[in-house]
Amino acid sequence: MTGAGSAGHELRGVAMAVSAPSSGDGTAPAVSTTGTSPARDEVPPAPGEGQPLVVVEDLVKYFPILGGVLRRHVGDVKAVDGVSFSVRRGEVFGLVGESGCGKTTLGRSLLYLQRPTSGRVELEGQDLRTLKPEELRRMRARMQIIFQDPYGSLNPRMPVLDIIGEGLLAQGVKNSKERTKRVEESLEAVGLRREYTRRYPHEFSGGQRQRIGIARALALRPDFIVCDEPVSALDVSIQSQILNLLLDLRQDFGFTYLFIAHNLSVVQYISDRVGVMYLGRMVEMAEVEELYEHPRHPYTVALLSAVPQVDPARVRRRIVLKGDVPSPVNPPSGCHFHPRCWLRERLGNPEICATVDPRLRLVGQGHAAACHFADRTQQEQERAAIPISGQV
């Protein structure tokens, strides 16, 4: 693990008693609580038996900042700052977080579209760091990506046959008839007609373009697909069609997904497990039902409280975060979330949050959270929430 606050990573079993002032709402005037931080991430294993398909260990991706006439290295944008998790074959691992938290950079780094600064990525036991360029090119047949923008991700000067067949050609499928056949099969698999192979992107709607992007990803029959917000640019009526298509393809072809999204409802619908990112870090990880019903990190609680309710007349309780997201160039010391943390404020602003960087630790069966006081989250969230009318 590198970056700000790394000196605190070797601290184990740090504890501190804290007294919280009276909140004025009838709660006790003082509480005693304890915080601990393991030396390394305690990543919950992916459910199931056997070796996980994808293993990510302490992945870091920094973008250098160059300044001055001589373009010297003056700093780094810490886009991904030590992320670890694993994904089982056939699983959908959802990834959520605010814009700029590093979700897309993480997905691209997994596929080595952007080479990580450090860390390890394994695909079925093969460490991608050890592969030579030609070996990595062949490995890309097993790893594909569906991009967010269905307009910018398709070359407007190429017909659909060439857009989808380009990957096949790069992987050695030289026979044009074989490429055409596989392109047509991919189009049919995503619900498009075979004769669309000669059309250009401008002749399709946004939903059809995204289906072409999905067909391009599945043409090589990969094992692992990164879905980088594949429905965020689509109409709501089309989003459900694309989500159901992805689930059908997983059942038919055995695909494994890393599904990146902002929409928490979408992630809840499609995912088996969910990871929550904040400022380049993984702050919580659990199976989807467990995370949505019993969130343990204060950031996750705040995200879930912002999900709109179906009943407009229903009064819901909302936790409103204060301040702006800190800069990834110079993140806060200790816990990156502590300047905006409602739980820290409830507990009287304990010093450990600002000085010791919390690592992921197990807080339940298959449930991990990077918070010194994860055991107090559920107890305090009702007192911290603000009633907000659902009426518009």
Side-chain angles (χ1 to χ4, degrees):
M1 183 72 173
T2 60
S6 60
H9 295 166
E10 301 304 320
L11 297 178
R12 183 187 297 270
V14 180
M16 184 176 183
V18 184
S19 293
S22 174
S23 61
D25 57 359
T27 59
V31 294
S32 177
T33 187
T34 300
T36 61
S37 180
R40 294 182 60 85
D41 283 342
E42 296 177 351
V43 181
E49 299 179 355
Q51 177 73 15
L53 177 65
V54 178
V55 176
V56 181
E57 185 175 312
D58 207 20
L59 192 69
V60 174
K61 177 59 181 177
Y62 288 177
F63 294 97
I65 301 174
L66 305 178
V69 178
L70 299 179
R71 307 294 292 167
R72 292 177 177 173
H73 182 210
V74 297
D76 293 290
V77 176
K78 299 170 183 176
V80 179
D81 198 6
V83 172
S84 301
F85 64 96
S86 60
V87 185
R88 189 74 60 181
R89 182 179 290 275
E91 184 182 17
V92 180
F93 187 90
L95 194 62
V96 298
E98 292 174 290
S99 296
C101 70
K103 304 185 300 297
T104 294
T105 302
L106 173 60
R108 291 172 180 261
S109 298
L110 292 185
L111 306 183
Y112 270 59
L113 297 178
Q114 296 171 334
R115 184 167 290 272
T117 303
S118 63
R120 181 168 61 91
V121 179
E122 288 187 0
L123 180 66
E124 205 166 34
Q126 178 66 62
D127 191 343
L128 301 187
R129 296 176 302 178
T130 64
L131 299 181
K132 298 178 180 178
E134 178 60 25
E135 295 173 330
L136 183 60
R137 185 187 66 81
R138 292 197 298 269
M139 181 66 76
R140 293 195 189 283
R142 304 181 60 189
M143 309 180 299
Q144 293 294 303
I145 185 171
I146 301 170
F147 294 100
Q148 175 182 359
D149 185 4
Y151 295 88
S153 62
L154 304 180
N155 191 330
R157 299 184 178 181
M158 295 174 63
V160 171
L161 177 62
D162 294 341
I163 290 174
I164 300 177
E166 190 174 23
L168 295 169
L169 184 62
Q171 292 297 329
V173 183
K174 305 297 184 182
N175 187 288
S176 60
K177 291 184 178 180
E178 176 65 19
R179 285 202 311 274
T180 301
K181 178 182 177 182
R182 293 180 62 172
V183 168
E184 291 175 347
E185 291 174 349
S186 298
L187 287 176
E188 282 194 335
V190 299
L192 297 177
R193 298 178 181 177
R194 287 175 174 259
E195 55 264 29
Y196 287 172
T197 54
R198 300 313 306 174
R199 293 189 181 184
Y200 287 82
H202 72 271
E203 300 179 71
F204 297 95
S205 66
Q208 289 175 321
R209 292 188 190 201
Q210 195 61 292
R211 289 176 184 267
I212 294 171
I214 296 172
R216 176 173 57 185
L218 67 87
L220 291 167
R221 299 296 186 267
D223 297 310
F224 179 60
I225 299 178
V226 173
C227 304
D228 184 13
E229 302 189 44
V231 298
S232 62
L234 304 177
D235 294 337
V236 175
S237 59
I238 305 300
Q239 289 184 12
S240 60
Q241 298 178 20
I242 298 300
L243 292 175
N244 289 330
L245 172 63
L246 291 173
L247 291 175
D248 291 341
L249 292 175
R250 179 182 70 157
Q251 182 176 357
D252 294 340
F253 298 101
F255 292 148
T256 303
Y257 298 133
L258 174 67
F259 190 90
I260 301 170
H262 285 105
N263 192 321
L264 292 170
S265 299
V266 168
V267 172
Q268 183 180 18
Y269 175 75
I270 197 172
S271 302
D272 299 309
R273 287 190 302 143
V274 179
V276 182
M277 284 191 69
Y278 182 80
L279 211 63
R281 305 279 185 87
M282 192 78 76
V283 297
E284 188 163 9
M285 189 186 310
E287 293 189 13
V288 61
E289 296 86 359
E290 170 68 15
L291 186 133
Y292 278 74
E293 293 179 8
H294 306 289
R296 301 295 293 274
H297 195 280
Y299 176 62
T300 308
V301 172
L303 287 181
L304 292 176
S305 74
V307 176
Q309 300 291 338
V310 177
D311 185 359
R314 180 180 177 184
V315 176
R316 59 193 176 95
R317 299 180 65 84
R318 173 85 183 274
I319 293 179
V320 181
L321 298 179
K322 299 179 181 179
D324 298 323
V325 180
S327 170
V329 177
N330 186 25
S333 61
C335 176
H336 288 358
F337 185 60
H338 87 262
R340 308 173 68 198
C341 183
W342 58 267
L343 179 60
R344 180 173 183 255
E345 183 177 342
R346 288 284 309 172
L347 298 178
N349 297 319
E351 184 181 357
I352 189 175
C353 297
T355 57
V356 179
D357 183 14
R359 306 299 295 263
L360 278 175
R361 62 185 178 91
L362 296 178
V363 295
Q365 182 66 34
H367 194 161
C371 178
H372 296 298
F373 307 107
D375 57 329
R376 298 300 304 275
T377 304
Q378 292 181 310
Q379 179 181 348
E380 298 292 340
Q381 69 180 78
E382 287 299 323
R383 300 169 183 169
I386 303 172
I388 296 178
S389 174
Q391 294 181 350
V392 180

